């Protein structure tokens, strides 16, 4: 059967998933539903693959390449703002607080289109090889792909030939962008504890003030990107939290701040991380303070598309989409997708498709109000138009998989 015949299934599944999102590592109903659909299709199904809510389906069809197709499954602690008929009214607790839950990153479109693509591929009898469909939990918290690594290595010791993944974003529906090389940034999270010496606010000479010290660290860290990273390279250093003190006449004994680093290339990443260490400890020494403590928090890998595999996917997209296939610009957002092919050191390709009314997107671009008028991922109104978004995502997954299957 063709896309036209599977379209109602894909759209119904999308509405169902959109209305019932679940937070990272709590995708129990979603995972069970994915497994049920894979079984319906006659695939070999593995549940709890390294992570309780991870699901893998295998479609074997004789000799040929092994292609891994991935969709992530988690929603976000966001209360949905739009009034679409299939809106989410789900709630949960996140970090101790009650919150609405929403598929505000569009992972519902990834799941619906991958299930649709599997149905189309299962109908086609002119290919051979193996398809590994990964329904991955916890992309948003960067736990899912990493948690699946060991179990995937055991399940598929012979390795894979290529891994393919895609994401919806705030471009025009019907359009796909792909590119070789770096497409998404690595993300590093550092937690810095500034150690000082506390005392009375009226007697600074008896203290080492961690607030003043921390403030000079924060300012000096701003010079890494402006003065140490080449203008042709890209990096971001953001200090997202700074906490210290309890009362105006007490100098606290410590302060704490968190740093987020984004980079596209490993040498740039290493240089930035080394500069943070040097500046933090250098400032501590200049203040006569004990060394600061620097801890590592969550980390996301680079997403750097393999040149040959990207060329194959690019040619398939040119054939499938013509002028609606464009060049993907690197974005400083991060993904944990590349942890999956990392299991076997396999090449991979990750691309984006648009999810919003092409006329609205074009008009907003013309007015210069794209950033305001087109919802961005994680926004409470990030609801892709169903079509041609789902058709495009499904077609892209089928075309990319077919570029490798014999
Ligand atoms: Zn997201
Ligand atoms: Zn996402």
């Amino acid at each position: 059967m063709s896309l036209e015949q599977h379209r109602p299934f894909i759209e119904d599944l999308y509405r169902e998933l959109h209305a019932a999102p679940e937070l990272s590592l709590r995708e129990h109903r979603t995972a069970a539903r994915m497994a049920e659909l894979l079984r319906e299709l006659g695939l070999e199904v593995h549940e709890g693959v390294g992570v309780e809510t991870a699901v893998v389906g295998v479609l074997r069809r004789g000799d040929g390449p092994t292609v891994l197709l991935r969709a992530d499954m988690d929603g976000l602690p966001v209360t949905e703002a739009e009034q679409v008929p299939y809106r989410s009214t789900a709630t949960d607790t996140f970090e101790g607080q009650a919150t609405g839950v929403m598929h505000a990153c569009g992972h519902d479109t990834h799941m619906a289109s991958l299930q649709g693509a599997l149905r189309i591929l299962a109908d086609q009898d002119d290919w051979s090889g193996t398809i590994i469909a990964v329904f991955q939990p916890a992309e948003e918290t960067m736990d899912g792909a990493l948690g699946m690594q060991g179990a995937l290595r055991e399940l598929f010791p012979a390795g894979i030939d290529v891994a393919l993944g895609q994401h919806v974003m705030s471009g025009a529906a019907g359009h796909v962008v792909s590119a070789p090389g770096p497409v998404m940034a690595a993300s590093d999270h550092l937690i810095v504890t500034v150690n000082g010496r506390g005392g009375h606010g009226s007697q600074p000479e008896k203290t080492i003030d961690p607030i003043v010290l921390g403030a000079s660290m924060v300012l000096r860290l701003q010079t890494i990107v402006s003065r140490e990273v080449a203008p042709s390279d890209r990096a971001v250093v953001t200090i997202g939290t700074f906490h210290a003190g309890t009362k105006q006449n007490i100098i606290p004994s410590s302060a704490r701040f968190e740093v987020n680093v984004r980079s596209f290339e490993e040498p740039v990443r290493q240089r930035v991380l080394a500069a943070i260490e040097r500046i933090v400890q250098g400032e501590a020494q200049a203040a006569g303070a004990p060394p600061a403590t620097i801890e590592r928090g969550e980390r996301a890998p680079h997403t750097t598309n393999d040149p040959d595999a990207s060329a194959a996917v690019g040619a398939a997209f040119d054939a499938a989409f013509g002028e609606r296939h464009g060049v993907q610009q690197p974005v400083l957002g991060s993904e944990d997708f590349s942890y999956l092919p990392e299991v076997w050191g396999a090449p991979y390709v990750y691309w984006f498709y648009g999810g919003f009314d092409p006329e609205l997107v074009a008009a907003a671009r013309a007015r210069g109000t794209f950033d305001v008028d087109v919802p961005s991922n994680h926004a409470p109104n990030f609801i892709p138009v169903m079509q041609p978004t789902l058709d495009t995502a499904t077609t892209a997954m089928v075309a990319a998989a077919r570029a490798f299957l014999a």
Side-chain angles (χ1 to χ4, degrees):
M1 288 202 294
S2 62
L3 173 62
E4 286 71 45
Q5 286 155 311
H6 288 296
R7 188 179 290 132
F9 161 79
I10 297 167
E11 292 185 353
D12 284 348
L13 179 60
Y14 168 72
R15 285 190 202 92
E16 175 192 329
L17 293 169
H18 187 83
E22 295 171 293
L23 292 176
S24 308
L25 299 175
R26 301 179 200 167
E27 309 92 339
H28 296 283
R29 273 177 296 111
T30 308
R33 183 75 172 119
M34 291 302 110
E36 181 189 336
L37 290 168
L38 295 174
R39 268 192 289 269
E40 233 173 61
L41 197 56
L43 267 62
E44 169 190 319
V45 179
H46 304 270
E47 293 176 81
V49 182
V51 179
E52 210 183 320
T53 47
V55 176
V56 174
V58 190
L59 178 53
R60 291 182 210 278
R61 175 99 49 87
D63 293 338
T66 299
V67 178
L68 185 152
L69 311 179
R70 178 266 208 168
D72 40 6
M73 301 191 290
D74 48 338
L76 284 160
V78 171
T79 301
E80 183 153 350
E82 297 291 307
Q83 295 298 326
V84 290
Y86 47 92
R87 75 188 291 267
S88 161
T89 53
T91 57
D92 202 342
T93 52
F94 181 74
E95 294 183 348
Q97 292 208 311
T99 176
V101 183
M102 179 190 173
H103 267 302
C105 204
H107 297 180
D108 43 2
T109 71
H110 306 168
M111 288 184 277
S113 57
L114 179 52
Q115 290 282 2
L118 291 170
R119 272 161 203 247
I120 293 168
L121 287 162
D123 288 343
Q124 297 173 344
D125 53 13
D126 56 344
W127 61 268
S128 66
T130 300
I131 295 172
I132 300 174
V134 172
F135 289 88
Q136 183 213 300
E139 184 278 328
E140 297 291 352
T141 54
M142 303 290 151
D143 300 314
L146 205 53
M148 293 182 73
Q149 281 192 328
L152 283 174
R153 194 176 293 116
E154 272 176 39
L155 268 180
F156 306 104
I160 63 167
D161 292 284
V162 70
L164 304 171
Q166 59 179 349
H167 207 298
V168 63
M169 48 89 184
S170 42
H175 291 251
V176 202
V177 288
S178 76
V183 289
M184 292 190 90
S187 173
D188 288 272
H189 169 206
L190 304 174
I191 305 123
V192 179
T193 305
V194 183
N195 299 308
R197 188 162 63 235
H200 200 285
S202 66
Q203 296 175 309
E205 74 282 8
K206 294 182 177 173
T207 73
I208 298 169
D209 188 335
I211 295 182
V212 174
L213 171 52
S216 68
M217 287 175 183
V218 169
L219 281 182
R220 181 98 195 206
L221 289 172
Q222 307 306 315
T223 65
I224 297 174
V225 172
S226 68
R227 303 289 82 188
E228 296 193 45
V229 173
S232 52
D233 290 329
R234 276 159 299 196
V236 178
V237 175
T238 289
I239 288 92
T241 72
F242 190 111
H243 296 286
T246 52
K247 191 167 182 281
Q248 38 74 35
N249 63 356
I250 301 171
I251 292 168
S253 50
S254 68
R256 185 176 181 274
F257 63 89
E258 288 172 286
V259 189
N260 184 263
V261 177
R262 303 284 168 136
S263 60
F264 284 111
E265 313 277 353
E266 190 55 25
V268 176
R269 172 175 175 264
Q270 291 300 342
R271 178 155 188 172
V272 171
L273 293 176
I276 291 172
E277 172 88 30
R278 190 193 75 236
I279 287 170
V280 165
Q281 301 304 7
E283 289 289 340
Q285 196 187 14
T293 314
I294 305 178
E295 293 163 85
R296 291 291 174 91
E298 64 193 36
R299 170 170 126 63
H302 294 105
T303 307
T304 304
N305 286 339
D306 178 75
D308 294 338
S310 296
V313 169
F317 286 177
D318 282 341
F321 300 111
E323 284 185 352
R324 293 184 292 120
H325 173 221
V327 178
Q328 185 172 6
Q329 299 300 329
V331 298
L332 283 146
S334 300
E335 248 294 337
D336 67 351
F337 164 73
S338 72
Y339 281 139
L340 299 173
E342 187 188 85
V343 169
W344 308 278
Y348 59 86
V349 186
Y350 189 83
W351 65 89
F352 297 116
Y353 56 92
F356 292 83
D357 180 358
E359 281 176 29
L360 176 130
V361 170
R365 283 223 166 90
R367 283 196 304 270
T369 57
F370 178 82
D371 291 339
V372 184
D373 292 346
V374 184
S376 62
N377 296 62
H378 295 199
N381 59 344
F382 185 82
I383 304 184
V385 292
M386 272 220 285
Q387 296 298 3
T389 306
L390 293 172
D391 277 4
T392 305
T394 308
T395 303
M397 203 38 116
V398 171
R402 291 297 309 251
F404 300 96
L405 294 164

